[in-house]
PDB file of all heavy atoms in Angstrom:
ATOM      1  N   PRO A1234     -16.037   4.442  -9.652  1.00  0.00           N
ATOM      2  CA  PRO A1234     -16.993   3.697 -10.588  1.00  0.00           C
ATOM      3  C   PRO A1234     -16.426   2.348 -10.944  1.00  0.00           C
ATOM      4  O   PRO A1234     -15.208   2.201 -11.136  1.00  0.00           O
ATOM      5  CB  PRO A1234     -16.967   4.511 -11.915  1.00  0.00           C
ATOM      6  CG  PRO A1234     -16.406   5.826 -11.519  1.00  0.00           C
ATOM      7  CD  PRO A1234     -15.561   5.661 -10.349  1.00  0.00           C
ATOM      8  N   GLY A1235     -17.302   1.348 -10.793  1.00  0.00           N
ATOM      9  CA  GLY A1235     -16.837  -0.015 -11.044  1.00  0.00           C
ATOM     10  C   GLY A1235     -15.878  -0.551 -10.068  1.00  0.00           C
ATOM     11  O   GLY A1235     -15.062  -1.555 -10.348  1.00  0.00           O
ATOM     12  N   PHE A1236     -15.783  -0.030  -8.889  1.00  0.00           N
ATOM     13  CA  PHE A1236     -14.739  -0.430  -7.878  1.00  0.00           C
ATOM     14  C   PHE A1236     -14.804  -1.949  -7.550  1.00  0.00           C
ATOM     15  O   PHE A1236     -13.877  -2.674  -7.631  1.00  0.00           O
ATOM     16  CB  PHE A1236     -14.879   0.342  -6.565  1.00  0.00           C
ATOM     17  CG  PHE A1236     -13.965  -0.114  -5.465  1.00  0.00           C
ATOM     18  CD1 PHE A1236     -12.595   0.328  -5.521  1.00  0.00           C
ATOM     19  CD2 PHE A1236     -14.360  -0.984  -4.464  1.00  0.00           C
ATOM     20  CE1 PHE A1236     -11.656  -0.040  -4.491  1.00  0.00           C
ATOM     21  CE2 PHE A1236     -13.379  -1.404  -3.489  1.00  0.00           C
ATOM     22  CZ  PHE A1236     -12.147  -0.914  -3.541  1.00  0.00           C
ATOM     23  N   GLU A1237     -16.109  -2.341  -7.264  1.00  0.00           N
ATOM     24  CA  GLU A1237     -16.229  -3.758  -6.947  1.00  0.00           C
ATOM     25  C   GLU A1237     -15.676  -4.703  -8.017  1.00  0.00           C
ATOM     26  O   GLU A1237     -14.990  -5.598  -7.692  1.00  0.00           O
ATOM     27  CB  GLU A1237     -17.668  -3.942  -6.719  1.00  0.00           C
ATOM     28  CG  GLU A1237     -18.096  -5.301  -6.117  1.00  0.00           C
ATOM     29  CD  GLU A1237     -18.708  -5.195  -4.685  1.00  0.00           C
ATOM     30  OE1 GLU A1237     -19.248  -4.063  -4.423  1.00  0.00           O
ATOM     31  OE2 GLU A1237     -18.642  -6.200  -3.968  1.00  0.00           O
ATOM     32  N   GLU A1238     -16.076  -4.397  -9.343  1.00  0.00           N
ATOM     33  CA  GLU A1238     -15.574  -5.228 -10.339  1.00  0.00           C
ATOM     34  C   GLU A1238     -14.004  -5.199 -10.406  1.00  0.00           C
ATOM     35  O   GLU A1238     -13.431  -6.279 -10.624  1.00  0.00           O
ATOM     36  CB  GLU A1238     -16.164  -4.793 -11.686  1.00  0.00           C
ATOM     37  CG  GLU A1238     -17.643  -4.981 -11.972  1.00  0.00           C
ATOM     38  CD  GLU A1238     -18.450  -3.974 -11.064  1.00  0.00           C
ATOM     39  OE1 GLU A1238     -17.972  -2.881 -10.772  1.00  0.00           O
ATOM     40  OE2 GLU A1238     -19.697  -4.330 -10.677  1.00  0.00           O
ATOM     41  N   LYS A1239     -13.497  -4.068 -10.341  1.00  0.00           N
ATOM     42  CA  LYS A1239     -12.066  -3.929 -10.441  1.00  0.00           C
ATOM     43  C   LYS A1239     -11.330  -4.724  -9.294  1.00  0.00           C
ATOM     44  O   LYS A1239     -10.378  -5.366  -9.466  1.00  0.00           O
ATOM     45  CB  LYS A1239     -11.705  -2.466 -10.411  1.00  0.00           C
ATOM     46  CG  LYS A1239     -11.906  -1.869 -11.749  1.00  0.00           C
ATOM     47  CD  LYS A1239     -11.464  -0.316 -11.575  1.00  0.00           C
ATOM     48  CE  LYS A1239     -12.058   0.399 -12.790  1.00  0.00           C
ATOM     49  NZ  LYS A1239     -12.056   1.873 -12.494  1.00  0.00           N
ATOM     50  N   ALA A1240     -12.001  -4.617  -8.043  1.00  0.00           N
ATOM     51  CA  ALA A1240     -11.338  -5.319  -7.065  1.00  0.00           C
ATOM     52  C   ALA A1240     -11.472  -6.813  -7.211  1.00  0.00           C
ATOM     53  O   ALA A1240     -10.419  -7.547  -6.939  1.00  0.00           O
ATOM     54  CB  ALA A1240     -12.109  -5.008  -5.685  1.00  0.00           C
ATOM     55  N   LEU A1241     -12.583  -7.350  -7.711  1.00  0.00           N
ATOM     56  CA  LEU A1241     -12.650  -8.784  -7.975  1.00  0.00           C
ATOM     57  C   LEU A1241     -11.695  -9.301  -9.078  1.00  0.00           C
ATOM     58  O   LEU A1241     -11.106 -10.376  -8.943  1.00  0.00           O
ATOM     59  CB  LEU A1241     -14.205  -9.074  -8.329  1.00  0.00           C
ATOM     60  CG  LEU A1241     -15.160  -8.968  -7.239  1.00  0.00           C
ATOM     61  CD1 LEU A1241     -16.583  -9.103  -7.677  1.00  0.00           C
ATOM     62  CD2 LEU A1241     -14.894  -9.963  -6.138  1.00  0.00           C
TER      63      LEU A1241
END
Side-chain angles (χ1 to χ4, degrees):
F1236 177 80
E1237 189 118 21
E1238 292 73 28
K1239 286 180 191 159
L1241 290 170

